[in-house]
Amino acid sequence: MSNTQHESMSFLEGVERMVDKATLVAGLDPRTACVIKASSAVIQIKFPVRLRSGVEVFTGWWSIHSAHRLPSKGGLRYAPHVNQEETEALSALMSYKCALADIPFGGAKGGLMIEPSKYTVEELRDITHAFAGELARRGFLNPATNVPAPDMGTSAREMAWIADAYKSLFPEDLNQDACVTGKPVNRGGIPGRTEATGKGIQYALQEFFRHPDELEKTELVDGLAGQRLILQGLGNVGYHAAKFLSEEDKVKVIAIIERDGAVVNPEGLNVHDVRQHLAQTGGVRDFPGGEFHEDGAAVMTMACDILLPAALESQVSAGNAMKIQAKLIVEGANGAVTYEADEILQRRGIVMLPDLWVNAGGVTVSYFEWTRNLSHMRFGRLQRRFDELRGICYATALEEMTGKSMESRLRNEIVRGASELDLVRSGLDDTIRSAFAEIRDTMKRNPEIGDYRTAAFVIAITKLAQSYTDLGLADGGE
Ligand code: GLU
Protein backbone atom coordinates (compact mmCIF):
# COMPACT_ATOMS: atom_id res chain seq x y z
CA MET A 1 0.00 0.00 0.00
CA SER A 2 1.34 3.41 -0.88
CA ASN A 3 2.11 5.77 1.96
CA THR A 4 -0.02 8.54 0.58
CA GLN A 5 -3.18 6.52 -0.05
CA HIS A 6 -4.87 8.16 2.96
CA GLU A 7 -3.83 11.61 1.87
CA SER A 8 -6.41 14.03 0.54
CA MET A 9 -3.89 16.39 -1.02
CA SER A 10 -0.78 16.17 -3.17
CA PHE A 11 2.76 16.97 -2.05
CA LEU A 12 2.61 20.38 -3.76
CA GLU A 13 -0.80 21.16 -2.24
CA GLY A 14 0.58 20.23 1.17
CA VAL A 15 3.50 22.65 0.79
CA GLU A 16 1.10 25.39 -0.35
CA ARG A 17 -1.21 24.74 2.60
CA MET A 18 1.76 25.24 4.90
CA VAL A 19 2.42 28.62 3.25
CA ASP A 20 -1.26 29.58 3.69
CA LYS A 21 -1.12 28.63 7.36
CA ALA A 22 2.07 30.64 7.90
CA THR A 23 0.61 33.59 5.97
CA LEU A 24 -2.25 33.80 8.44
CA VAL A 25 0.05 33.57 11.44
CA ALA A 26 2.47 36.13 9.99
CA GLY A 27 -0.43 38.47 9.23
CA LEU A 28 0.60 38.79 5.59
CA ASP A 29 -1.74 39.82 2.81
CA PRO A 30 -3.08 36.63 1.14
CA ARG A 31 -2.25 38.19 -2.24
CA THR A 32 1.38 38.25 -1.16
CA ALA A 33 1.07 34.54 -0.40
CA CYS A 34 -0.13 34.03 -3.99
CA VAL A 35 2.97 35.81 -5.30
CA ILE A 36 5.18 33.70 -3.04
CA LYS A 37 3.52 30.39 -3.95
CA ALA A 38 3.61 30.89 -7.72
CA SER A 39 6.34 28.95 -9.51
CA SER A 40 8.31 31.26 -11.71
CA ALA A 41 9.04 28.77 -14.53
CA VAL A 42 9.10 25.06 -15.25
CA ILE A 43 10.73 23.55 -18.27
CA GLN A 44 10.10 20.01 -19.44
CA ILE A 45 12.70 18.53 -21.71
CA LYS A 46 12.45 15.38 -23.77
CA PHE A 47 15.71 14.34 -25.34
CA PRO A 48 16.98 11.25 -27.18
CA VAL A 49 20.20 9.43 -26.29
CA ARG A 50 21.78 6.52 -28.17
CA LEU A 51 22.39 3.62 -25.77
CA ARG A 52 23.45 -0.05 -26.04
CA SER A 53 19.87 -1.04 -26.69
CA GLY A 54 19.18 1.70 -29.24
CA VAL A 55 17.86 5.23 -28.96
CA GLU A 56 15.88 6.07 -25.82
CA VAL A 57 13.94 9.27 -25.13
CA PHE A 58 14.24 10.70 -21.59
CA THR A 59 12.04 13.23 -19.83
CA GLY A 60 13.34 15.74 -17.32
CA TRP A 61 12.26 18.95 -15.59
CA TRP A 62 13.84 22.03 -14.10
CA SER A 63 11.51 24.07 -11.93
CA ILE A 64 12.38 27.59 -10.80
CA HIS A 65 10.15 28.45 -7.88
CA SER A 66 11.69 31.82 -7.11
CA ALA A 67 14.21 34.07 -8.80
CA HIS A 68 14.06 37.07 -6.45
CA ARG A 69 17.63 36.19 -5.68
CA LEU A 70 19.91 34.54 -8.17
CA PRO A 71 20.98 31.94 -8.90
CA SER A 72 17.97 29.75 -8.27
CA LYS A 73 19.33 26.72 -6.51
CA GLY A 74 18.38 23.16 -5.85
CA GLY A 75 19.18 19.51 -6.30
CA LEU A 76 18.84 17.44 -9.44
CA ARG A 77 17.04 14.18 -8.78
CA TYR A 78 17.38 10.96 -10.81
CA ALA A 79 14.55 8.56 -10.00
CA PRO A 80 11.87 6.68 -11.89
CA HIS A 81 8.99 8.33 -10.00
CA VAL A 82 10.14 11.93 -10.70
CA ASN A 83 7.41 14.12 -12.17
CA GLN A 84 6.65 17.77 -12.73
CA GLU A 85 4.53 18.26 -9.64
CA GLU A 86 7.09 16.70 -7.35
CA THR A 87 9.80 18.88 -8.89
CA GLU A 88 7.68 22.00 -8.36
CA ALA A 89 6.95 21.11 -4.73
CA LEU A 90 10.62 20.46 -4.05
CA SER A 91 11.63 23.72 -5.75
CA ALA A 92 9.20 25.61 -3.48
CA LEU A 93 10.75 23.97 -0.42
CA MET A 94 14.16 25.15 -1.68
CA SER A 95 12.94 28.78 -1.72
CA TYR A 96 11.75 28.53 1.88
CA LYS A 97 14.84 26.64 3.01
CA CYS A 98 17.23 29.19 1.48
CA ALA A 99 15.24 32.04 3.03
CA LEU A 100 15.26 30.45 6.49
CA ALA A 101 18.99 29.68 6.35
CA ASP A 102 19.85 33.11 4.95
CA ILE A 103 21.28 31.66 1.78
CA PRO A 104 20.99 34.38 -0.88
CA PHE A 105 19.50 32.13 -3.56
CA GLY A 106 16.13 31.56 -5.16
CA GLY A 107 14.62 28.07 -5.06
CA ALA A 108 14.77 25.53 -7.88
CA LYS A 109 14.79 21.78 -8.42
CA GLY A 110 15.48 19.41 -11.27
CA GLY A 111 14.36 15.91 -11.98
CA LEU A 112 15.09 13.24 -14.54
CA MET A 113 12.78 10.27 -14.88
CA ILE A 114 15.25 7.42 -14.86
CA GLU A 115 16.20 4.28 -12.92
CA PRO A 116 19.97 4.86 -12.78
CA SER A 117 20.78 1.23 -11.88
CA LYS A 118 19.60 0.10 -15.32
CA TYR A 119 22.37 1.94 -17.13
CA THR A 120 26.15 1.62 -17.42
CA VAL A 121 28.37 4.43 -16.16
CA GLU A 122 29.12 5.45 -19.76
CA GLU A 123 25.41 5.59 -20.56
CA LEU A 124 24.65 7.63 -17.45
CA ARG A 125 27.41 10.02 -18.46
CA ASP A 126 25.98 10.40 -21.97
CA ILE A 127 22.45 10.91 -20.59
CA THR A 128 23.70 13.51 -18.09
CA HIS A 129 25.72 15.32 -20.76
CA ALA A 130 22.68 15.43 -23.03
CA PHE A 131 20.32 16.66 -20.28
CA ALA A 132 22.80 19.28 -19.05
CA GLY A 133 23.39 20.46 -22.62
CA GLU A 134 19.65 20.87 -23.18
CA LEU A 135 19.32 22.84 -19.94
CA ALA A 136 22.38 25.01 -20.58
CA ARG A 137 21.40 25.92 -24.16
CA ARG A 138 18.06 27.19 -22.85
CA GLY A 139 19.61 29.16 -19.98
CA PHE A 140 18.43 26.69 -17.33
CA LEU A 141 21.99 25.83 -16.32
CA ASN A 142 24.22 28.81 -15.67
CA PRO A 143 26.43 30.05 -12.80
CA ALA A 144 24.42 33.27 -12.57
CA THR A 145 20.90 31.92 -12.84
CA ASN A 146 20.38 28.17 -12.34
CA VAL A 147 22.77 26.02 -10.35
CA PRO A 148 21.94 22.35 -9.65
CA ALA A 149 23.45 20.15 -6.94
CA PRO A 150 23.27 16.48 -5.93
CA ASP A 151 19.97 15.02 -4.79
CA MET A 152 18.43 11.59 -4.72
CA GLY A 153 20.12 9.38 -7.35
CA THR A 154 22.90 11.85 -8.16
CA SER A 155 26.29 12.56 -6.60
CA ALA A 156 29.56 14.40 -7.19
CA ARG A 157 30.09 12.26 -10.29
CA GLU A 158 26.98 13.55 -12.06
CA MET A 159 27.88 17.11 -11.01
CA ALA A 160 31.32 16.72 -12.65
CA TRP A 161 29.62 15.56 -15.87
CA ILE A 162 27.24 18.53 -15.74
CA ALA A 163 30.18 20.92 -15.31
CA ASP A 164 31.93 19.27 -18.27
CA ALA A 165 28.87 19.70 -20.46
CA TYR A 166 28.54 23.35 -19.49
CA LYS A 167 32.24 24.04 -20.02
CA SER A 168 32.26 22.50 -23.47
CA LEU A 169 29.35 24.79 -24.48
CA PHE A 170 30.65 27.95 -22.76
CA PRO A 171 34.44 27.62 -22.50
CA GLU A 172 34.89 31.38 -22.30
CA ASP A 173 32.76 31.72 -19.14
CA LEU A 174 35.21 32.73 -16.44
CA ASN A 175 32.87 31.38 -13.73
CA GLN A 176 32.08 28.09 -15.41
CA ASP A 177 32.94 26.03 -12.29
CA ALA A 178 30.07 27.74 -10.45
CA CYS A 179 27.43 26.33 -12.85
CA VAL A 180 26.87 23.39 -10.48
CA THR A 181 27.76 22.57 -6.86
CA GLY A 182 28.57 19.32 -5.12
CA LYS A 183 31.41 18.64 -7.58
CA PRO A 184 34.35 16.39 -6.65
CA VAL A 185 36.91 18.34 -4.61
CA ASN A 186 39.57 18.08 -7.31
CA ARG A 187 37.16 19.41 -9.92
CA GLY A 188 36.16 22.65 -8.24
CA GLY A 189 34.24 21.17 -5.31
CA ILE A 190 34.68 22.03 -1.66
CA PRO A 191 35.70 19.75 1.20
CA GLY A 192 32.73 18.78 3.35
CA ARG A 193 30.01 19.08 0.68
CA THR A 194 29.33 15.34 0.27
CA GLU A 195 28.47 14.86 3.94
CA ALA A 196 27.08 18.40 4.45
CA THR A 197 23.39 17.52 4.75
CA GLY A 198 24.10 14.72 7.24
CA LYS A 199 26.51 16.93 9.19
CA GLY A 200 23.85 19.66 9.26
CA ILE A 201 21.34 17.19 10.73
CA GLN A 202 23.86 16.32 13.44
CA TYR A 203 24.43 20.02 14.17
CA ALA A 204 20.67 20.61 14.30
CA LEU A 205 20.18 17.81 16.83
CA GLN A 206 23.15 18.96 18.90
CA GLU A 207 21.67 22.45 18.91
CA PHE A 208 18.20 21.22 19.85
CA PHE A 209 19.65 19.26 22.76
CA ARG A 210 21.45 22.39 24.03
CA HIS A 211 18.10 23.92 25.02
CA PRO A 212 16.40 22.28 28.01
CA ASP A 213 13.28 24.42 27.46
CA GLU A 214 12.90 22.97 23.96
CA LEU A 215 13.70 19.44 25.06
CA GLU A 216 10.93 19.69 27.61
CA LYS A 217 8.45 19.56 24.72
CA THR A 218 9.63 16.00 24.09
CA GLU A 219 10.17 13.34 26.71
CA LEU A 220 13.86 13.40 25.90
CA VAL A 221 15.89 14.99 28.63
CA ASP A 222 19.17 13.20 28.99
CA GLY A 223 21.33 14.49 26.15
CA LEU A 224 22.01 12.82 22.83
CA ALA A 225 24.10 9.90 24.07
CA GLY A 226 22.11 6.70 24.26
CA GLN A 227 19.01 8.02 22.46
CA ARG A 228 17.50 5.26 20.32
CA LEU A 229 17.18 6.29 16.68
CA ILE A 230 15.36 4.68 13.77
CA LEU A 231 16.65 5.67 10.36
CA GLN A 232 14.71 5.34 7.14
CA GLY A 233 16.95 5.52 4.06
CA LEU A 234 20.66 4.82 4.04
CA GLY A 235 21.44 7.16 1.15
CA ASN A 236 23.91 10.02 1.35
CA VAL A 237 21.84 12.06 3.83
CA GLY A 238 20.74 9.26 6.16
CA TYR A 239 24.08 7.49 6.11
CA HIS A 240 26.13 10.53 7.07
CA ALA A 241 23.65 11.79 9.67
CA ALA A 242 23.42 8.39 11.39
CA LYS A 243 27.15 7.77 11.14
CA PHE A 244 28.09 11.11 12.74
CA LEU A 245 25.38 10.83 15.39
CA SER A 246 26.34 7.28 16.35
CA GLU A 247 30.12 7.70 16.20
CA GLU A 248 30.45 11.19 17.68
CA ASP A 249 27.35 11.67 19.85
CA LYS A 250 26.86 8.05 20.86
CA VAL A 251 23.31 7.89 19.58
CA LYS A 252 22.12 4.28 19.31
CA VAL A 253 20.88 3.46 15.81
CA ILE A 254 18.47 0.63 16.61
CA ALA A 255 16.94 0.16 13.15
CA ILE A 256 17.69 1.01 9.55
CA ILE A 257 14.92 0.75 7.00
CA GLU A 258 15.81 0.27 3.36
CA ARG A 259 13.93 -0.76 0.22
CA ASP A 260 14.04 -4.50 0.89
CA GLY A 261 13.07 -4.28 4.58
CA ALA A 262 14.73 -3.27 7.83
CA VAL A 263 17.57 -4.41 10.02
CA VAL A 264 17.00 -4.07 13.75
CA ASN A 265 19.33 -4.31 16.72
CA PRO A 266 18.26 -2.81 20.08
CA GLU A 267 21.95 -2.67 21.11
CA GLY A 268 22.78 -0.41 18.18
CA LEU A 269 23.90 -1.01 14.58
CA ASN A 270 27.23 -0.13 13.05
CA VAL A 271 26.05 2.31 10.38
CA HIS A 272 29.19 2.04 8.31
CA ASP A 273 28.98 -1.76 8.19
CA VAL A 274 25.30 -1.71 7.21
CA ARG A 275 26.12 0.68 4.39
CA GLN A 276 28.93 -1.63 3.19
CA HIS A 277 26.50 -4.52 3.22
CA LEU A 278 23.95 -2.47 1.29
CA ALA A 279 26.55 -1.49 -1.30
CA GLN A 280 27.66 -5.12 -1.72
CA THR A 281 24.28 -6.87 -1.72
CA GLY A 282 21.78 -4.17 -2.73
CA GLY A 283 19.80 -4.49 0.53
CA VAL A 284 19.95 -4.95 4.30
CA ARG A 285 18.72 -8.57 4.35
CA ASP A 286 21.26 -10.96 5.88
CA PHE A 287 23.24 -8.20 7.56
CA PRO A 288 25.02 -10.19 10.27
CA GLY A 289 24.78 -7.51 12.99
CA GLY A 290 21.00 -7.39 13.34
CA GLU A 291 17.67 -9.04 12.79
CA PHE A 292 16.01 -8.64 9.39
CA HIS A 293 12.36 -7.57 9.18
CA GLU A 294 10.62 -7.82 5.83
CA ASP A 295 8.04 -5.19 6.78
CA GLY A 296 9.98 -1.93 6.82
CA ALA A 297 6.79 0.12 7.29
CA ALA A 298 6.10 -1.67 10.59
CA VAL A 299 9.62 -0.88 11.81
CA MET A 300 8.93 2.85 11.20
CA THR A 301 6.32 2.71 13.92
CA MET A 302 8.43 0.83 16.48
CA ALA A 303 9.12 2.53 19.82
CA CYS A 304 12.17 4.80 19.69
CA ASP A 305 13.36 8.21 20.81
CA ILE A 306 14.20 9.76 17.45
CA LEU A 307 12.79 8.88 14.02
CA LEU A 308 14.90 10.10 11.11
CA PRO A 309 13.06 9.67 7.80
CA ALA A 310 15.78 10.36 5.23
CA ALA A 311 14.50 8.52 2.19
CA LEU A 312 11.73 10.20 0.24
CA GLU A 313 8.88 12.65 0.67
CA SER A 314 5.52 11.62 2.20
CA GLN A 315 6.91 8.70 4.20
CA VAL A 316 5.16 9.84 7.36
CA SER A 317 1.60 10.25 6.18
CA ALA A 318 -2.00 10.21 7.35
CA GLY A 319 -1.70 6.42 6.96
CA ASN A 320 0.95 5.86 9.64
CA ALA A 321 1.04 9.09 11.72
CA MET A 322 -1.26 7.65 14.38
CA LYS A 323 1.07 4.69 14.88
CA ILE A 324 4.41 6.48 15.10
CA GLN A 325 5.90 5.99 18.57
CA ALA A 326 8.96 8.25 18.26
CA LYS A 327 9.30 11.15 20.67
CA LEU A 328 11.04 13.34 18.13
CA ILE A 329 10.89 13.29 14.33
CA VAL A 330 13.84 14.76 12.47
CA GLU A 331 12.84 15.38 8.89
CA GLY A 332 15.96 14.43 6.95
CA ALA A 333 14.25 14.05 3.57
CA ASN A 334 12.49 17.01 1.99
CA GLY A 335 8.76 16.74 2.67
CA ALA A 336 9.12 13.45 4.58
CA VAL A 337 6.09 14.35 6.72
CA THR A 338 2.91 15.23 4.83
CA TYR A 339 0.74 18.19 5.77
CA GLU A 340 -1.93 15.92 7.18
CA ALA A 341 0.56 13.79 9.11
CA ASP A 342 2.03 16.98 10.52
CA GLU A 343 -1.37 17.94 11.94
CA ILE A 344 -1.98 14.48 13.39
CA LEU A 345 1.47 14.35 15.00
CA GLN A 346 1.04 17.81 16.47
CA ARG A 347 -2.25 16.77 18.01
CA ARG A 348 -0.44 13.78 19.47
CA GLY A 349 2.25 16.05 20.92
CA ILE A 350 5.07 14.54 18.87
CA VAL A 351 7.73 17.14 18.20
CA MET A 352 9.10 17.56 14.68
CA LEU A 353 12.27 19.29 13.54
CA PRO A 354 11.30 20.35 10.01
CA ASP A 355 13.20 19.75 6.76
CA LEU A 356 13.53 23.50 6.09
CA TRP A 357 15.81 23.69 9.09
CA VAL A 358 17.44 20.31 9.63
CA ASN A 359 18.40 19.50 6.07
CA ALA A 360 19.58 22.96 5.04
CA GLY A 361 23.21 21.83 5.38
CA GLY A 362 23.49 20.70 1.76
CA VAL A 363 22.52 24.00 0.19
CA THR A 364 24.50 25.89 2.83
CA VAL A 365 27.74 24.21 1.81
CA SER A 366 26.69 24.53 -1.84
CA TYR A 367 26.62 28.27 -1.21
CA PHE A 368 30.15 28.11 0.15
CA GLU A 369 31.26 26.11 -2.91
CA TRP A 370 29.61 28.54 -5.33
CA THR A 371 31.26 31.52 -3.59
CA ARG A 372 34.63 29.74 -3.67
CA ASN A 373 34.22 29.08 -7.39
CA LEU A 374 33.49 32.75 -8.05
CA SER A 375 36.47 33.87 -5.99
CA HIS A 376 38.72 31.29 -7.69
CA MET A 377 40.47 30.72 -4.40
CA ARG A 378 40.07 28.26 -1.59
CA PHE A 379 38.86 29.55 1.76
CA GLY A 380 41.64 30.27 4.23
CA ARG A 381 44.43 30.51 1.66
CA LEU A 382 45.32 34.06 2.64
CA GLN A 383 45.07 33.87 6.41
CA ARG A 384 45.86 30.33 7.47
CA ARG A 385 49.61 30.75 8.06
CA PHE A 386 49.07 34.23 9.47
CA ASP A 387 46.67 32.77 12.04
CA GLU A 388 49.20 30.08 12.79
CA LEU A 389 51.94 32.65 13.45
CA ARG A 390 49.60 34.63 15.68
CA GLY A 391 48.75 31.42 17.55
CA ILE A 392 52.45 30.75 18.12
CA CYS A 393 52.79 34.30 19.50
CA TYR A 394 49.86 33.80 21.92
CA ALA A 395 51.14 30.45 23.11
CA THR A 396 54.69 31.70 23.54
CA ALA A 397 53.51 34.84 25.35
CA LEU A 398 51.40 32.75 27.73
CA GLU A 399 54.31 30.42 28.43
CA GLU A 400 56.70 33.30 29.03
CA MET A 401 54.25 35.11 31.30
CA THR A 402 53.44 32.05 33.40
CA GLY A 403 56.85 30.49 33.24
CA LYS A 404 55.19 27.16 32.46
CA SER A 405 55.15 25.23 29.20
CA MET A 406 51.84 24.27 27.71
CA GLU A 407 50.64 20.73 27.15
CA SER A 408 51.49 19.96 23.51
CA ARG A 409 47.90 19.01 22.55
CA LEU A 410 46.65 22.36 23.79
CA ARG A 411 49.53 24.23 22.15
CA ASN A 412 48.81 22.57 18.82
CA GLU A 413 45.14 23.56 19.06
CA ILE A 414 46.01 27.19 19.74
CA VAL A 415 48.66 27.32 17.05
CA ARG A 416 46.76 25.56 14.27
CA GLY A 417 45.39 27.73 11.43
CA ALA A 418 41.95 26.61 10.20
CA SER A 419 41.80 24.25 7.22
CA GLU A 420 39.19 24.79 4.55
CA LEU A 421 37.13 21.94 6.04
CA ASP A 422 37.29 23.60 9.48
CA LEU A 423 35.91 26.79 7.94
CA VAL A 424 33.17 24.96 6.04
CA ARG A 425 32.08 23.13 9.19
CA SER A 426 32.16 26.31 11.23
CA GLY A 427 30.02 28.13 8.65
CA LEU A 428 27.61 25.21 8.51
CA ASP A 429 27.27 24.95 12.28
CA ASP A 430 26.74 28.69 12.53
CA THR A 431 24.04 28.63 9.84
CA ILE A 432 22.14 25.82 11.55
CA ARG A 433 22.41 27.43 14.98
CA SER A 434 21.42 30.87 13.71
CA ALA A 435 18.36 29.45 11.97
CA PHE A 436 17.25 27.77 15.20
CA ALA A 437 17.84 30.98 17.14
CA GLU A 438 15.48 32.70 14.68
CA ILE A 439 12.92 29.92 15.05
CA ARG A 440 13.03 30.20 18.85
CA ASP A 441 12.84 33.94 18.72
CA THR A 442 9.85 33.85 16.37
CA MET A 443 8.06 31.44 18.68
CA LYS A 444 8.76 33.61 21.70
CA ARG A 445 7.41 36.68 19.95
CA ASN A 446 4.36 34.79 18.62
CA PRO A 447 3.20 32.45 21.39
CA GLU A 448 0.35 31.23 19.18
CA ILE A 449 2.94 29.37 17.07
CA GLY A 450 3.19 25.97 18.70
CA ASP A 451 5.54 24.15 16.35
CA TYR A 452 8.88 24.57 14.64
CA ARG A 453 7.60 24.00 11.11
CA THR A 454 5.11 26.85 11.25
CA ALA A 455 7.78 29.08 12.78
CA ALA A 456 10.25 28.14 10.02
CA PHE A 457 7.65 28.89 7.33
CA VAL A 458 6.70 32.20 8.98
CA ILE A 459 10.36 33.28 8.93
CA ALA A 460 10.85 32.14 5.33
CA ILE A 461 7.75 33.72 3.86
CA THR A 462 8.23 36.95 5.81
CA LYS A 463 11.68 37.26 4.21
CA LEU A 464 10.32 36.39 0.77
CA ALA A 465 7.46 38.85 1.20
CA GLN A 466 9.98 41.55 2.07
CA SER A 467 11.97 40.77 -1.08
CA TYR A 468 8.87 40.96 -3.25
CA THR A 469 7.73 44.15 -1.52
CA ASP A 470 11.13 45.72 -2.17
CA LEU A 471 10.70 44.82 -5.83
CA GLY A 472 7.20 46.33 -5.88
CA LEU A 473 5.66 42.91 -6.48
CA ALA A 474 3.76 42.70 -3.20
CA ASP A 475 2.07 45.16 -0.91
CA GLY A 476 4.13 45.91 2.15
CA GLY A 477 1.38 47.98 3.73
CA GLU A 478 2.70 51.47 2.98
N1 GLU B 1 19.49 18.58 -2.80
C1 GLU B 1 19.80 19.33 -1.64
C2 GLU B 1 18.53 19.87 -1.00
O1 GLU B 1 17.46 19.42 -1.29
C3 GLU B 1 20.86 20.40 -1.88
C4 GLU B 1 20.51 21.50 -2.83
C5 GLU B 1 21.69 22.38 -3.20
O2 GLU B 1 22.77 22.19 -2.67
O3 GLU B 1 21.49 23.25 -4.04
O4 GLU B 1 18.56 20.70 -0.14
Side-chain angles (χ1 to χ4, degrees):
M1 187 175 71
S2 113
N3 276 303
T4 46
Q5 199 160 316
H6 300 268
E7 227 68 21
S8 67
M9 65 182 94
S10 69
F11 181 21
L12 180 59
E13 283 162 351
V15 174
E16 294 190 339
R17 280 283 279 277
M18 227 17 258
V19 175
D20 292 336
K21 186 170 160 186
T23 304
L24 273 178
V25 177
L28 288 172
D29 180 346
R31 281 169 304 182
T32 305
C34 288
V35 176
I36 291 173
K37 282 190 290 188
S39 262
S40 144
V42 193
I43 185 169
Q44 184 192 66
I45 294 175
K46 286 185 186 277
F47 58 98
V49 184
R50 177 166 291 285
L51 306 167
R52 287 165 301 168
S53 54
V55 175
E56 197 172 323
V57 177
F58 293 89
T59 308
W61 292 269
W62 181 258
S63 164
I64 303 170
H65 176 259
S66 58
H68 63 298
R69 284 182 170 178
L70 289 172
S72 300
K73 190 84 187 77
L76 179 60
R77 179 169 287 200
Y78 281 11
H81 64 262
V82 160
N83 58 61
Q84 180 167 331
E85 210 202 84
E86 182 199 47
T87 312
E88 284 185 52
L90 291 165
S91 70
L93 285 177
M94 284 308 301
S95 293
Y96 309 133
K97 191 182 335 192
C98 290
L100 173 72
D102 265 333
I103 305 294
F105 292 152
K109 200 84 179 190
L112 181 65
M113 209 198 283
I114 186 172
E115 174 48 70
S117 63
K118 286 199 189 145
Y119 300 89
T120 64
V121 173
E122 291 71 28
E123 287 176 331
L124 280 173
R125 190 194 53 210
D126 290 350
I127 296 162
T128 304
H129 275 163
F131 189 28
E134 296 288 339
L135 289 170
R137 274 188 287 273
R138 292 170 170 84
F140 284 82
L141 170 68
N142 181 289
T145 55
N146 289 286
V147 180
D151 202 89
M152 182 187 298
T154 57
S155 64
R157 181 183 71 176
E158 284 72 17
M159 302 306 117
W161 292 335
I162 291 171
D164 279 351
Y166 181 82
K167 287 175 190 178
S168 64
L169 282 170
F170 303 103
E172 74 291 357
D173 185 341
L174 182 62
N175 294 318
Q176 48 184 234
D177 271 347
C179 74
V180 63
T181 59
K183 300 176 291 290
V185 175
N186 62 3
R187 297 194 62 89
I190 194 165
R193 174 61 186 85
T194 303
E195 67 275 30
T197 313
K199 196 76 195 157
I201 291 173
Q202 179 194 25
Y203 286 153
L205 265 170
Q206 288 176 345
E207 177 60 5
F208 183 71
F209 274 77
R210 274 187 200 107
H211 299 280
D213 54 328
E214 304 295 346
L215 264 183
E216 244 172 49
K217 300 173 185 168
T218 68
E219 285 165 30
L220 309 169
V221 277
D222 282 323
L224 265 173
Q227 303 290 356
R228 296 159 309 143
L229 180 142
I230 296 181
L231 168 69
Q232 185 199 33
L234 202 54
N236 183 47
V237 175
Y239 166 64
H240 283 110
K243 185 173 185 295
F244 291 133
L245 284 165
S246 58
E247 290 178 1
E248 295 170 17
D249 300 295
K250 307 294 167 227
V251 166
K252 218 187 255 186
V253 179
I254 59 164
I256 295 178
I257 306 160
E258 257 297 323
R259 268 176 249 199
D260 62 331
V263 57
V264 178
N265 182 346
E267 297 313 313
L269 293 156
N270 181 312
V271 178
H272 176 76
D273 291 351
V274 182
R275 168 94 156 191
Q276 292 278 99
H277 184 84
L278 177 68
Q280 278 155 14
T281 67
V284 292
R285 186 188 285 273
D286 297 330
F287 176 70
E291 195 186 322
F292 180 73
H293 292 238
E294 196 113 19
D295 188 358
V299 174
M300 279 272 278
T301 59
M302 261 173 40
C304 67
D305 300 311
I306 303 170
L307 175 64
L308 173 57
L312 197 63
E313 62 267 14
S314 309
Q315 294 302 296
V316 180
S317 66
N320 60 4
M322 278 311 287
K323 296 184 230 148
I324 299 278
Q325 295 188 63
K327 295 171 185 148
L328 179 69
I329 299 180
V330 180
E331 203 177 12
N334 292 310
V337 180
T338 66
Y339 182 83
E340 284 161 272
D342 182 85
E343 293 205 315
I344 297 169
L345 291 161
Q346 274 190 54
R347 278 199 299 274
R348 294 186 54 214
I350 296 179
V351 177
M352 283 164 282
L353 306 183
D355 51 357
L356 288 199
W357 175 45
V358 298
N359 79 17
V363 73
T364 300
V365 178
S366 277
Y367 170 44
F368 302 156
E369 178 177 332
W370 183 78
T371 315
R372 178 199 209 262
N373 291 153
L374 296 185
S375 76
H376 298 263
M377 202 195 288
R378 76 174 148 79
F379 290 111
R381 182 165 179 175
L382 295 185
Q383 71 268 37
R384 183 170 181 184
R385 299 300 162 196
F386 183 82
D387 288 346
E388 203 174 275
L389 285 176
R390 179 157 283 172
I392 292 172
C393 283
Y394 283 143
T396 312
L398 270 171
E399 286 179 338
E400 282 177 6
M401 281 157 70
T402 58
K404 290 183 190 150
S405 58
M406 222 177 261
E407 196 204 319
S408 70
R409 187 192 50 81
L410 188 60
R411 191 171 222 283
N412 289 341
E413 272 306 302
I414 292 176
V415 161
R416 194 171 71 89
S419 70
E420 193 171 34
L421 182 61
D422 291 329
L423 296 172
V424 164
R425 294 259 161 99
S426 153
L428 172 56
D429 195 10
D430 184 58
T431 304
I432 296 289
R433 290 199 209 192
S434 303
F436 195 54
E438 258 192 273
I439 290 176
R440 273 164 59 81
D441 187 54
T442 302
M443 291 174 82
K444 282 206 180 96
R445 280 187 290 105
N446 304 276
E448 75 277 17
I449 304 178
D451 67 290
Y452 301 120
R453 189 189 308 282
T454 305
F457 267 88
V458 165
I459 296 165
I461 65 163
T462 306
K463 288 183 189 174
L464 279 159
Q466 187 60 52
S467 269
Y468 287 124
T469 304
D470 294 344
L471 293 167
L473 296 171
D475 295 322
E478 272 183 68

